[in-house]
Amino acid sequence: MSHKVKTYLSNLAVAFIAISSLVFALFPFYWAVATSIKPNELLFQVPPVWVFEPTTKNYELVFKDWKVANFLTNSVIVTSISSLLCVGAGTLAAFALARFKFRGRESLASELLSIRMFPPVVVAIPIFILAYYLNLLNTYTILVLVYATFNIPIVTIIMRSFIDEIPIEIEESGMIDGCTRVTAFLRITLPLCRDAILSVLVLSAIFSWNEFLFGTILTRMETRTLPVIAGQTMTQRGIDWGPAAALTVITAGPMLLFGMLIQKYLVRGMTFGAVKG
Amino acid sequence: MQQRKQYLTVLFLILPAFAIVFFIAIYPTVYSFVISLEDFSITDPAPANFIWAQNYVELFLNDDRMRNALFNTVSITAIAVTAELLLGLILAFAFNQNFPGNGIMRSAILMPMMTTSVCVGIIWRLIFNPNFGIANYFLSVVGLPPLLWLSDVKVALFAVSLADIWQWTPFMFLILFAGIRSLPVAPFEAAKIDGASNWQLLWRLYLPMLKRVVLIAVILRIIDVLKIFDIVYVMTKGGPAMSTDTVTMYIYRVSFDHFHTGYAAALSWVFLVIIMLASAVFLRYVRYAE
Amino acid sequence: MSSTQKVGRRKFLKYAGAAIVAAGVVGGAGYYLTRPPVGPTSTETMATTTVMESPTATPTETLAARLNLVGTVEAHCYAKKEIGAAPDGDYFKKTGTEVVVEQFPYDPTHEREVLELSTSSPTYDIICSDNFWIPEYSSAGWLWSLDELHSMYPDVPEIDWNGISWIGSHEWYKHYAAHNDLCVVLMAYRKDLFEKYGVTDTGGKPKIPVSWDDYKTTIKDLTRDGNYGAVYHLGGRDAGYTDWLVRRQGMASVKGPIGVYDYVVDEKWNPIFNDSKGVEALEMLIEDLKYAVPGYLGIDYPEAIAAYQNGKAATFITWSVLMFEFDKPDVAPLIVGKSGYAPPPYSEEPHFIPGGWHMGVNKASKNPKDAYRFISYIISAEGQQAMLNHGAVTAYRKEFLEDPKWIAKYPVMEAVPKLKNPYPFTITGQWVEMQRIIYEGIAAAISGKKKPQQALDDASDEVHDVLEKAGYYQ
């Protein structure tokens, strides 16, 4: 085959892959949005109704009656504090694991990772008991701590990988100039890790924002988060499909915005320390 | 003196992370291990007796449901992670080309990853509805017979995996894409000058150089998919006829519906050991591959 | 050196800026974390946190300022919320006690109740439970005995046990919880489809099947034009179990003490559900699935309701509480007014399964006296009227269930006077586990993994083990 034809075919293939993946990724969102603005009687029509007169009934219900704005605030507070905490603590720990050789280094690292392996269902009851006896039920504190616990391992493993790849000479030259080990890290290495930090921030934020089980058992009305409200649409009488779809859109919204803003940095940050150019 | 100062520094550096983690994790770990050795039931007013390894023995010898759940869980993990890896690779290579709208499309593709698992389950349950769902509508449009999806014992497992694949392929894509982007240019240019075909480039250069990235991504996904809960809970609750019953669903049922809390703890520990073994195998491979 | 210094200063400023922002965030966070969180104010699913000062209490006693109640939407907690709300709620105006209601979906309510009660947490004073959760809680010692509360506080009006219609529950429950619901298994049918397809009697009215054989013929005749005669919800534990039990009960003719003997176990707690009638019921069910909406093995209450509401099925045998939605124009616009309601078919003797929501008092509650008072109020005639006024759709007092005017308001109620012989679920703390085991056997038989007899026999052995471990065979 001539080179031109090959290029044309490969371009076609790329276009096809890009577009079909886009459609596959976005169609359920379109469906969620459509369901959230469809009047009830059209919901289950087959063949589906593509053009219809939209209604804001579901959004009104969710914002006015269910007071979703409060839960949105709770979600924002818990997610931002816990992801910042995670990234801070995890990065420091990653630095220690990457730069210092000490006994028990590897076992400490794998212990951290093993925390991530606990299915939340398994620890639900003891964490509830713990929170109850510490009087931390229905506070932001307990949610922040629990989410941080599950995210710190991931942050640490990714950041450690990243820091491993940055040559130690950079810090050593900083130390010659008079910084301590830690200051050298903060001033010199950390800015180089900016992209990695942003990407682990996004990963922790996604996890905290979307977490469901602990949100259900550790909160009452005052500190409840969005995913729990989404789960409350599943009643025994039926799933409130309309409000559930509306909540899907509302829950996904802020995350999307956040993701789009730092999308550029995400890619650069996810290299896990693959060799630099 | 320098040594001690170093140890102190290390201590202070790792203190925040480990303080948080151990504060939350230590009590549940000890608690669940202790009750796994008891016949503890949360509704039983009598104090629990130590029955030592009896829960574990019963688990290994008699528990068909655990075997079924393990089989289902491992199947879902294998299907989902493999598909996510393949799709992620294809997407990563495709988006590696320059074409208009590349950046915007990349952001759009990431959207499924940002969705709450509960919502993912609800939306896909709606899509897979055998009578009113859009999935069967699309099948009918291309002339295929409708499937029962979540009601079909043979199909439900794949349907649940499909929901997970939809949600997490962007994660794989992100990691692999970043990995490809950060590869050094020199070896590829040299190979092209030498006349290597695209296929050879793929097999001989790209994949071996991406090995480490791929392994880390795969291990992270495996750990997460083994714990799958929200999607299964919303879509099938373990049905139909136990064909999507996963280990976490089973543990949930035993502890919250049947109140055999001690036995559930034993199940959890066995499962935990399995996950740890699986990831230890992979981690060793990562270290070996460096 | 100078270049490093310049870089140093720039970097330092950047860090200073970042540190200020971080300090701001941390400070703001600290502020949020240390002040008590303020809850949203209310209608449907929210709870107020402000405690109102009670107006002048009656001279002889001081009442609690506030009670907390947990329950589900299905338990009509929305009505209780309005009754107990300050400042306009009926109960608040009467006694000055505010009752704060939290509603959750079905499973999360159960989880929440178990977690709170097992840690002896006084968070909730009143617990709304589905009937088979009550034995779990009572055998664990988590509920006050209502008789004991009454003898401890004789000045509080006693719960009006004689005024309740026991059609919806069983006298055993009154030791621990008062039922405020009417939930029975009924058959809903599309009158218009019966008439359209000629399944009528001589007078042109829909011919309602009486026996299970009639039922099979009926749904066969109604399965046409892309729709089906029946819809089953065999995908959920409770839903699927109900589908089988309603047949099984109608086929047996052996009687025994109510509450122990519901054709699942006998009076000595031996499982008997795998006898010939039980197997026959399962086999009949499998036969009838030919005329059921496809996907029956994977659908639970929500999808089955959606199928019926969208006209896919001509009959639907399920719990009455779900049927009240069928006549609401904004919920089920396609079938409004088209449904009739009848007792489910039977083969030997008519039976029916009651279920329903009960209210109990948390043993760890700090206000058991006032909790009892509230429950007593809800059960009284005044309370019942208040519940109905605030939108509860079921009644539990005799004067309503026997009042033709009230029955006429709710088409679903037309079937209730025709119900005979209630046999509620076996009252035991192990009931959920038993139900699960039997359900898994039913599902295995339907999916073809096991033959019906084998499936029920295996389930029977397992139920026997469970009951043995729980100490029922001493």
Side-chain angles (χ1 to χ4, degrees):
Chain A
M1 255 194 275
S2 83
H3 183 70
K4 255 204 180 150
V5 176
K6 255 205 209 162
T7 323
Y8 181 70
L9 279 179
S10 87
N11 283 344
L12 204 64
V14 167
F16 175 72
I17 293 173
I19 300 209
S20 53
S21 57
L22 207 66
V23 167
F24 182 59
L26 294 183
F27 179 74
F29 278 108
Y30 159 75
W31 200 241
V33 172
T35 307
S36 66
I37 53 177
K38 248 186 208 175
N40 255 354
E41 58 268 18
L42 297 180
L43 267 186
F44 288 109
Q45 293 266 49
V46 173
V49 180
W50 301 105
V51 183
F52 52 86
E53 190 149 314
T55 155
T56 52
K57 193 175 54 133
N58 291 318
Y59 289 98
E60 280 169 35
L61 176 78
V62 153
F63 273 107
K64 292 218 192 84
D65 289 353
W66 294 11
K67 298 284 195 301
V68 137
N70 292 300
F71 304 117
L72 195 66
T73 319
N74 289 338
S75 271
V76 168
I77 294 175
V78 171
T79 301
S80 40
I81 299 177
S82 93
S83 21
L84 287 173
L85 191 63
C86 243
V87 172
T91 312
L92 288 177
F95 171 59
L97 288 175
R99 292 298 191 223
F100 296 86
K101 288 186 182 27
F102 55 93
R103 237 178 337 163
R105 179 169 78 152
E106 288 313 316
S107 63
L108 219 53
S110 43
E111 257 171 55
L112 257 193
L113 191 61
S114 67
I115 300 291
R116 177 87 177 175
M117 299 181 198
F118 271 83
V121 164
V122 164
V123 291
I125 295 182
I127 287 192
F128 178 84
I129 298 177
L130 181 75
Y132 173 69
Y133 282 116
L134 291 175
N135 232 354
L136 283 177
L137 280 180
N138 200 29
T139 58
Y140 294 125
T141 320
I142 188 71
L143 280 181
V144 164
L145 289 176
V146 170
Y147 294 165
T149 307
F150 277 95
N151 279 322
I152 283 177
I154 292 270
V155 171
T156 312
I157 195 181
I158 293 180
M159 289 306 299
R160 178 190 177 179
S161 216
F162 206 86
I163 296 175
D164 267 336
E165 287 302 319
I166 295 177
I168 201 167
E169 287 78 28
I170 296 187
E171 281 165 32
E172 285 176 352
S173 73
M175 279 167 66
I176 294 175
D177 283 348
C179 305
T180 65
R181 215 45 195 287
V182 180
T183 333
F185 171 67
L186 288 176
R187 282 192 177 191
I188 301 174
T189 323
L190 211 54
L192 290 174
C193 300
R194 183 191 58 175
D195 298 330
I197 291 185
L198 282 172
S199 47
V200 291
L201 190 68
V202 166
L203 282 182
S204 322
I206 291 178
F207 175 86
S208 310
W209 182 266
N210 287 329
E211 204 282 334
F212 176 71
L213 185 76
F214 290 112
T216 320
I217 66 176
L218 294 174
T219 65
R220 294 181 64 194
M221 280 303 160
E222 292 86 1
T223 53
R224 187 147 297 145
T225 55
L226 274 181
V228 181
I229 301 298
Q232 288 190 347
T233 54
M234 300 198 299
T235 70
Q236 221 187 6
R237 293 164 307 151
I239 297 183
D240 292 333
W241 304 105
L247 281 169
T248 308
V249 173
I250 294 173
T251 316
M255 267 296 114
L256 244 57
L257 215 61
F258 185 44
M260 278 201 282
L261 286 175
I262 61 171
Q263 194 268 128
K264 205 170 50 159
Y265 306 101
L266 266 186
V267 171
R268 293 209 291 255
M270 288 280 211
T271 60
F272 295 117
V275 177
K276 298 223 166 292
Chain B
M1 192 54 185
Q2 176 70 326
Q3 271 284 64
R4 252 195 56 199
K5 188 159 176 251
Q6 257 214 2
Y7 270 116
L8 271 178
T9 317
V10 167
L11 192 67
F12 279 121
L13 283 174
I14 65 175
L15 195 64
F18 279 85
I20 295 175
V21 168
F22 282 150
F23 174 66
I24 295 288
I26 194 83
Y27 177 66
T29 314
V30 171
Y31 178 90
S32 63
F33 186 67
V34 167
I35 66 172
S36 76
L37 303 173
E38 297 176 349
D39 62 355
F40 178 62
S41 165
I42 208 171
T43 51
D44 196 345
N49 308 314
F50 269 99
I51 55 172
W52 303 106
Q54 234 175 293
N55 279 333
Y56 291 94
V57 168
E58 162 112 20
L59 202 170
F60 283 114
L61 292 184
N62 271 340
D63 201 341
D64 290 331
R65 291 193 182 90
M66 180 59 167
R67 280 182 218 133
N68 178 50
L70 267 175
F71 176 73
N72 290 335
T73 310
V74 169
S75 308
I76 293 179
T77 308
I79 296 172
V81 177
T82 315
E84 285 165 24
L85 182 63
L86 288 173
L87 288 173
L89 274 173
I90 295 176
L91 282 174
F93 282 118
F95 275 81
N96 199 24
Q97 322 285 341
N98 271 323
F99 54 85
N102 187 318
I104 302 177
M105 284 180 129
R106 270 211 318 263
S107 325
I109 293 245
L110 293 183
M111 276 168 73
M113 197 168 87
M114 317 249 180
T115 323
T116 313
S117 297
V118 171
C119 294
V120 173
I122 293 180
I123 292 294
W124 279 96
R125 186 168 164 177
L126 191 58
I127 293 178
F128 281 143
N129 189 309
N131 300 299
F132 307 110
I134 198 111
N136 274 341
Y137 171 71
F138 281 139
L139 284 181
S140 68
V141 157
V142 290
L144 291 169
L147 287 177
L148 289 179
W149 298 110
L150 299 171
S151 304
D152 187 334
V153 176
K154 301 189 207 72
V155 177
L157 199 80
F158 292 98
V160 169
S161 310
L162 187 59
D164 189 81
I165 292 169
W166 177 83
Q167 188 183 6
W168 290 106
T169 301
F171 178 72
M172 276 290 202
F173 159 67
L174 201 63
I175 294 178
L176 294 169
F177 181 70
I180 293 179
R181 271 291 158 102
S182 66
L183 291 175
V185 190
F188 292 95
E189 286 186 344
K192 278 213 193 99
I193 291 175
D194 285 346
S197 73
N198 273 337
W199 206 240
Q200 280 172 319
L201 275 180
L202 178 71
W203 278 109
R204 293 288 186 80
L205 277 183
Y206 273 115
L207 290 182
M209 292 178 91
L210 286 175
K211 203 184 262 195
R212 182 190 177 164
V213 174
V214 164
L215 280 170
I216 292 192
V218 164
I219 197 183
L220 283 178
R221 279 309 299 151
I222 286 183
I223 293 178
D224 277 350
V225 179
L226 284 172
K227 296 186 312 186
I228 194 172
F229 182 74
D230 294 345
I231 291 183
V232 175
Y233 182 77
V234 170
M235 286 172 92
T236 62
K237 282 225 170 56
M242 311 292 273
S243 57
T244 58
D245 200 32
T246 57
V247 176
T248 41
M249 263 316 299
Y250 180 47
I251 294 176
Y252 172 82
R253 230 175 26 241
V254 172
S255 52
F256 280 101
D257 280 350
H258 304 166
F259 304 121
H260 297 311
T261 330
Y263 188 67
L267 288 170
S268 318
W269 275 95
V270 168
F271 188 52
L272 201 65
V273 167
I274 293 177
I275 301 181
M276 285 194 205
L277 285 175
S279 47
V281 165
F282 270 95
L283 274 176
R284 183 155 304 166
Y285 201 47
V286 168
R287 226 145 272 150
Y288 177 69
E290 275 174 27
Chain C
M1 292 313 118
S2 68
S3 69
T4 6
Q5 246 188 341
K6 244 198 265 169
V7 167
R9 205 179 298 138
R10 253 206 343 250
K11 276 221 167 91
F12 181 77
L13 284 175
K14 254 210 297 200
Y15 283 127
I20 292 174
V21 169
V25 168
V26 170
Y31 173 69
Y32 265 112
L33 288 175
T34 50
R35 68 152 202 212
V38 174
T41 51
S42 87
T43 45
E44 252 313 287
T45 50
M46 308 309 130
T48 58
T49 56
T50 51
V51 176
M52 304 291 286
E53 267 187 285
S54 55
T56 46
T58 61
T60 48
E61 53 190 337
T62 44
L63 290 82
R66 169 184 160 156
L67 292 173
N68 290 314
L69 184 152
V70 64
T72 64
V73 169
E74 294 88 346
H76 315 299
C77 285
Y78 49 87
K80 291 176 199 151
K81 171 192 283 301
E82 287 174 27
I83 291 175
D88 293 324
D90 308 66
Y91 189 69
F92 181 74
K93 285 204 284 228
K94 181 179 159 87
T95 60
T97 304
E98 186 193 10
V99 180
V100 171
V101 171
E102 279 194 42
Q103 294 180 102
F104 297 92
Y106 192 79
D107 285 321
T109 302
H110 187 46
E111 274 161 34
R112 169 130 262 159
E113 289 178 2
V114 168
L115 284 173
E116 296 274 350
L117 292 172
S118 64
T119 48
S120 301
S121 145
T123 312
Y124 298 112
D125 302 288
I126 302 172
I127 310 287
C128 287
S129 307
D130 207 350
N131 61 342
F132 51 82
W133 299 344
I134 301 286
E136 288 169 2
Y137 303 161
S138 65
S139 61
W142 296 340
L143 296 176
W144 270 105
S145 156
L146 293 178
D147 313 315
E148 209 183 314
L149 280 181
H150 175 63
S151 58
M152 276 167 62
Y153 306 113
D155 50 319
V156 178
E158 189 185 8
I159 296 176
D160 184 9
W161 299 113
N162 292 322
I164 310 183
S165 161
W166 288 103
I167 207 176
S169 179
H170 180 263
E171 301 238 352
W172 178 92
Y173 288 98
K174 78 183 203 191
H175 296 301
Y176 296 103
H179 92 276
N180 61 309
D181 191 12
L182 175 69
C183 195
V184 293
V185 176
L186 294 178
M187 176 171 63
Y189 61 96
R190 291 278 302 278
K191 297 187 286 206
D192 57 323
L193 288 180
F194 273 63
E195 284 161 13
K196 179 171 168 192
Y197 295 131
V199 183
T200 51
D201 58 20
T202 46
K205 285 261 152 66
K207 184 154 178 282
I208 304 170
V210 173
S211 75
W212 285 111
D213 291 319
D214 293 340
Y215 184 71
K216 180 176 184 160
T217 333
T218 307
I219 59 176
K220 188 160 157 200
D221 291 336
L222 291 166
T223 302
R224 44 201 279 188
D225 298 336
N227 293 325
Y228 299 85
V231 54
Y232 286 97
H233 34 40
L234 292 156
R237 181 200 79 220
D238 190 55
Y241 179 82
T242 308
D243 280 332
W244 167 81
L245 187 69
V246 76
R247 283 171 188 266
R248 194 282 187 276
Q249 283 197 339
M251 296 175 72
S253 56
V254 189
K255 289 195 182 23
I258 292 182
V260 172
Y261 192 48
D262 67 344
Y263 306 107
V264 175
V265 292
D266 66 14
E267 70 270 11
K268 293 210 175 59
W269 296 93
N270 294 311
I272 55 162
F273 57 85
N274 57 330
D275 62 9
S276 60
K277 297 286 189 180
V279 176
E280 198 184 327
L282 186 51
E283 285 167 351
M284 272 175 31
L285 174 59
I286 295 177
E287 269 294 304
D288 286 357
L289 288 174
K290 287 204 274 281
Y291 313 111
V293 172
Y296 41 78
L297 198 55
I299 66 180
D300 203 340
Y301 291 118
E303 279 93 357
I305 293 170
Y308 184 79
Q309 283 178 348
N310 285 280
K312 267 260 174 261
T315 64
F316 188 15
I317 298 178
T318 191
W319 294 96
S320 58
V321 70
L322 308 172
M323 297 181 176
F324 285 96
E325 309 284 312
F326 297 166
D327 296 307
K328 289 190 184 161
D330 50 327
V331 175
L334 295 169
I335 60 160
V336 174
K338 297 186 186 163
S339 297
Y341 304 92
Y346 62 90
S347 285
E348 302 253 359
E349 267 190 344
H351 296 100
F352 73 97
I353 316 174
W357 293 89
H358 295 65
M359 291 190 294
V361 180
N362 180 4
K363 200 68 184 274
S365 158
K366 297 209 168 80
N367 312 300
K369 181 175 180 184
D370 294 283
Y372 186 89
R373 189 196 308 270
F374 180 70
I375 296 179
S376 179
Y377 170 78
I378 294 286
I379 300 298
S380 68
E382 197 185 337
Q384 163 84 97
Q385 187 61 56
M387 291 280 283
L388 292 175
N389 291 343
H390 289 286
V393 295
T394 58
Y396 38 91
R397 288 187 61 87
K398 288 188 186 143
E399 59 260 28
F400 286 94
L401 289 178
E402 294 159 8
D403 176 3
K405 269 198 347 252
W406 190 82
I407 290 180
K409 244 176 79 173
Y410 297 100
V412 178
M413 298 299 297
E414 64 170 329
V416 171
K418 304 180 194 153
L419 295 172
K420 293 196 195 23
N421 303 325
Y423 274 84
F425 297 137
T426 313
I427 296 176
T428 162
Q430 321 304 123
W431 194 83
V432 172
E433 193 169 1
M434 281 167 53
Q435 191 192 41
R436 175 82 203 176
I437 294 169
I438 300 174
Y439 166 68
E440 287 178 9
I442 294 169
I446 292 175
S447 69
K449 265 196 225 150
K450 292 187 189 172
K451 294 255 180 311
Q453 180 75 61
Q454 178 72 46
L456 289 182
D457 284 341
D458 291 343
S460 164
D461 292 336
E462 227 186 312
V463 167
H464 184 91
D465 285 340
V466 166
L467 290 176
E468 190 173 18
K469 276 205 196 114
Y472 278 86
Y473 298 131
Q474 308 303 20

